[in-house]
C-alpha cells in the first residue's frame, strides 16, 4: 500500500499566518502538522508516499526533504492550482499505478490508531473505505448518509441542509478502482473534482464503499482556534526534557521541554510548555499550553495558551493569551491600557501593545 498526502491549498482561514507559510507547516507543540501526518502514515507500515504540493512546494520540500528521517520515500507531485481532492488522485495516477493507497489530508491532526482500519481494508478490500466521525456542524464537510443497515447510501459535499452528522475527516483507503470513478466525474459547481462525487459514482456503479468510524482525537487545523486546541492536546503528552540552560533563579513546574542552546533566566515556566532551541526567556512567566519556536526572545512578559513561531520577540508585554505569533514578528510596548491581549500576528509584523 502507498500513501497520497495532500499538501496544497491556500489556508485562507489561517490568514495572516498562511500568507507567509503553508498551513501544513504551522507548528503544533513545536512540530509541523505535516510531520504528525507522516508519522501516522509510517505507523501503518507504509513507506512510499506521494505528496501533492502547490504554490508552497519549495517550502514544504525544504522542511520535509526526501522523507528519510521519517523512514519514508517521498515523491513530490505538483498541482498548479487547487482543483479538488479527486483531481489530486488523477494527478498521482502514474505514481500510484495499480496499488491500493491511503489518501490523507496534510492539514488534519489525528491522535489515535488507524491500524485497525487499515487492516480491515486490506482484508475486505472494498473499493473505498472512508474514515468518518460525528461532527457538530456537517455543512463544512463531505457528509455520509447510511441506510438502516449501516451501509453507505449517499455522499454529499458541503450540503446546506445535511441529512446526517457523519463527516469524512480526511482519511480514505482506496483500491485502484477509484481511478475509473475519477475519470467519470465532472467538476462540481465550485469548479473542483470532488472526492465525494467519485465515491458516489462508485456506489451507483455497484462498487462497495464502506464508512469506518474513528474513535480517537481529530481536528481540522483550518482555524486559529483549532490550531491552539491541537497545541493544548499535544503539549499535554510532553515528557520533561531540559537540553538548554535554566538559571538558578528560575522555576520549572510540570512538563517542560527546553531545547538545545535555549536559556531560561529569572523566569517561571508552568507546563506543559515547549521552548525551542536557541530561544531566550528572561524575567518572564510562561503559562500552561504554550509552545515557543527556535531563536525567539521573550523578555519581561507573561504568555499562556499560545504558539510563538521561530525568530519572534515578545518584549515587556504584561499578558498574551490564546495568541498565534508569526515568524520574525515583534510584540512590544507602545502605550498604556489593558493588560491582557489576544493576537494573531503574521510573519515579520511589529505590534505595539499598551504597557
Amino acid at each position: 500500500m502507498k500513501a497520497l498526502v495532500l499538501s496544497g491549498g491556500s489556508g485562507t482561514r489561517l490568514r495572516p499566518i498562511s500568507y507567509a507559510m503553508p498551513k501544513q507547516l504551522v507548528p503544533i507543540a513545536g512540530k509541523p502538522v505535516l510531520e504528525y501526518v507522516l508519522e501516522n502514515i509510517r505507523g501503518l507500515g507504509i513507506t512510499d508516499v506521494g505528496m501533492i504540493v502547490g504554490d508552497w512546494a519549495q517550502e514544504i520540500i525544504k522542511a520535509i526533504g526526501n522523507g528519510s528521517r521519517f523512514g519514508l520515500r517521498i515523491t513530490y507531485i505538483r498541482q498548479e492550482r487547487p482543483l479538488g481532492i479527486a483531481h489530486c488522485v488523477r494527478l498521482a495516477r502514474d505514481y500510484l499505478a495499480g496499488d491500493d493507497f491511503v489518501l490523507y489530508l496534510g492539514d488534519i491532526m489525528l491522535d489515535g490508531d488507524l491500524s485497525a482500519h487499515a487492516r480491515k481494508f486490506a482484508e475486505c478490500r472494498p473499493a473505498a473505505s472512508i474514515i468518518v466521525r460525528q461532527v457538530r456542524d456537517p455543512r463544512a464537510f463531505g457528509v455520509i448518509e447510511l441506510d438502516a443497515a449501516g451501509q453507505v447510501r449517499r455522499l454529499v459535499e458541503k450540503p446546506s441542509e445535511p441529512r446526517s452528522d457523519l463527516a469524512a475527516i480526511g482519511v480514505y483507503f482506496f483500491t485502484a478502482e477509484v481511478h475509473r470513478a475519477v475519470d467519470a466525474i465532472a467538476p462540481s459547481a465550485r469548479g473542483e473534482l470532488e472526492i465525494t462525487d467519485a465515491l458516489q459514482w462508485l456506489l451507483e456503479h455497484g462498487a462497495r464503499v464502506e464508512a469506518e468510524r474513528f474513535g480517537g482525537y481529530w481536528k481540522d487545523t483550518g482555524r486559529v482556534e483549532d490550531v491552539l486546541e491541537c497545541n493544548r492536546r499535544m503539549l499535554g503528552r510532553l515528557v520533561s526534557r531540559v537540553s538548554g540552560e535554566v538559571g538558578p533563579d528560575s522555576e520549572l513546574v510540570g512538563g517542560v521541554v527546553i531545547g538545545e542552546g535555549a536559556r531560561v533566566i529569572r523566569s517561571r515556566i508552568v507546563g506543559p510548555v515547549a521552548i525551542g532551541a536557541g530561544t531566550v526567556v528572561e524575567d518572564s512567566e510562561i503559562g500552561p499550553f504554550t509552545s515557543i519556536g527556535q531563536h525567539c526572545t521573550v523578555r519581561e512578559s507573561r504568555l499562556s495558551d499560545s504558539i510563538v513561531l521561530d525568530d519572534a520577540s515578545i518584549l515587556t508585554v504584561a499578558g498574551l493569551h490564546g495568541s498565534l505569533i508569526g515568524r520574525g514578528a515583534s510584540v512590544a510596548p507602545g502605550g498604556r491600557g489593558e493588560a491582557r491581549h489576544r493576537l494573531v500576528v503574521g510573519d515579520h509584523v511589529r505590534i505595539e501593545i499598551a504597557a
Side-chain angles (χ1 to χ4, degrees):
M1 183 182 290
K2 291 176 179 174
L4 182 64
V5 176
L6 276 52
S7 296
S10 56
T12 55
R13 292 178 296 162
L14 266 181
R15 291 173 179 168
I17 296 296
S18 58
Y19 278 130
M21 68 185 301
K23 57 183 177 178
Q24 295 85 2
L25 295 186
V26 171
I28 302 291
K31 185 165 65 178
V33 174
L34 190 53
E35 290 194 14
Y36 290 100
V37 169
L38 295 174
E39 289 171 357
N40 286 346
I41 287 170
R42 187 66 188 89
L44 296 177
I46 295 171
T47 55
D48 292 308
V49 177
M51 187 174 295
I52 302 291
V53 290
D55 291 342
W56 291 106
Q58 292 308 310
E59 189 147 352
I60 288 175
I61 293 169
K62 180 180 178 182
I64 301 300
N66 64 8
S68 58
R69 65 190 173 97
F70 306 101
L72 302 171
R73 293 184 294 268
I74 296 179
T75 299
Y76 292 97
I77 302 165
R78 182 63 187 262
Q79 186 183 41
E80 294 303 324
R81 57 193 181 99
L83 292 173
I85 294 176
H87 182 255
C88 294
V89 175
R90 178 178 289 180
L91 285 176
R93 177 177 302 179
D94 288 344
Y95 171 77
L96 296 167
D99 296 327
D100 295 350
F101 66 98
V102 57
L103 187 153
Y104 202 130
L105 301 189
D107 59 353
I108 61 170
M109 282 290 296
L110 294 183
D111 188 11
D113 191 4
L114 286 168
S115 59
H117 300 293
R119 283 194 302 270
K120 184 175 179 181
F121 171 77
E123 292 168 2
C124 301
R125 298 198 74 250
S129 178
I130 315 161
I131 307 302
V132 303
R133 67 174 297 155
Q134 291 177 296
V135 297
R136 187 171 300 172
D137 185 1
R139 292 175 297 176
F141 301 93
V143 173
I144 291 83
E145 299 175 16
L146 305 180
D147 62 21
Q151 300 301 307
V152 177
R153 181 176 67 86
R154 185 167 176 258
L155 301 104
V156 184
E157 184 67 24
K158 297 181 174 63
S160 56
E161 297 182 5
R163 297 181 183 179
S164 165
D165 63 356
L166 276 183
I169 64 173
V171 178
Y172 310 80
F173 293 90
F174 289 113
T175 68
E177 202 166 351
V178 71
H179 297 301
R180 289 197 304 124
V182 168
D183 280 344
I185 62 174
S188 67
R190 301 192 304 162
E192 297 187 0
L193 288 178
E194 310 286 2
I195 199 65
T196 45
D197 288 345
L199 290 162
Q200 185 66 31
W201 187 94
L202 287 170
L203 276 174
E204 292 172 357
H205 288 77
R208 189 153 50 102
V209 175
E210 297 183 350
E212 294 289 331
R213 295 177 188 252
F214 181 69
Y217 177 83
W218 161 81
K219 183 63 67 173
D220 175 355
T221 60
R223 304 179 307 153
V224 171
E225 293 81 1
D226 299 326
V227 169
L228 292 173
E229 180 186 321
C230 290
N231 196 55
R232 290 191 290 270
R233 169 85 182 195
M234 303 313 289
L235 282 173
R237 298 169 53 179
L238 279 185
V239 176
S240 294
R241 185 182 74 255
V242 177
S243 301
E245 176 186 339
V246 179
D249 296 329
S250 294
E251 180 184 11
L252 307 184
V253 180
V256 178
V257 171
I258 309 293
E260 291 186 8
R263 293 185 295 146
V264 179
I265 306 163
R266 295 185 302 277
S267 295
R268 186 170 191 263
I269 300 177
V270 179
V273 168
I275 295 176
T279 285
V280 176
V281 178
E282 185 175 3
D283 296 316
S284 295
E285 182 172 335
I286 309 299
F289 304 111
T290 298
S291 62
I292 301 175
Q294 299 184 26
H295 307 294
C296 295
T297 300
V298 181
R299 185 171 289 121
E300 296 180 351
S301 298
R302 297 176 62 198
L303 179 65
S304 64
D305 193 23
S306 297
I307 299 174
V308 181
L309 276 64
D310 295 349
D311 302 306
S313 62
I314 300 172
L315 308 175
T316 322
V317 177
L320 284 182
H321 178 84
S323 298
L324 179 55
I325 309 298
R327 295 174 298 187
S330 173
V331 183
R336 301 194 62 82
E338 296 296 328
R340 186 176 169 94
H341 313 278
R342 181 176 187 273
L343 298 174
V344 179
V345 179
D347 290 8
H348 308 293
V349 171
R350 176 174 174 80
I351 300 289
E352 294 186 351
I353 294 293

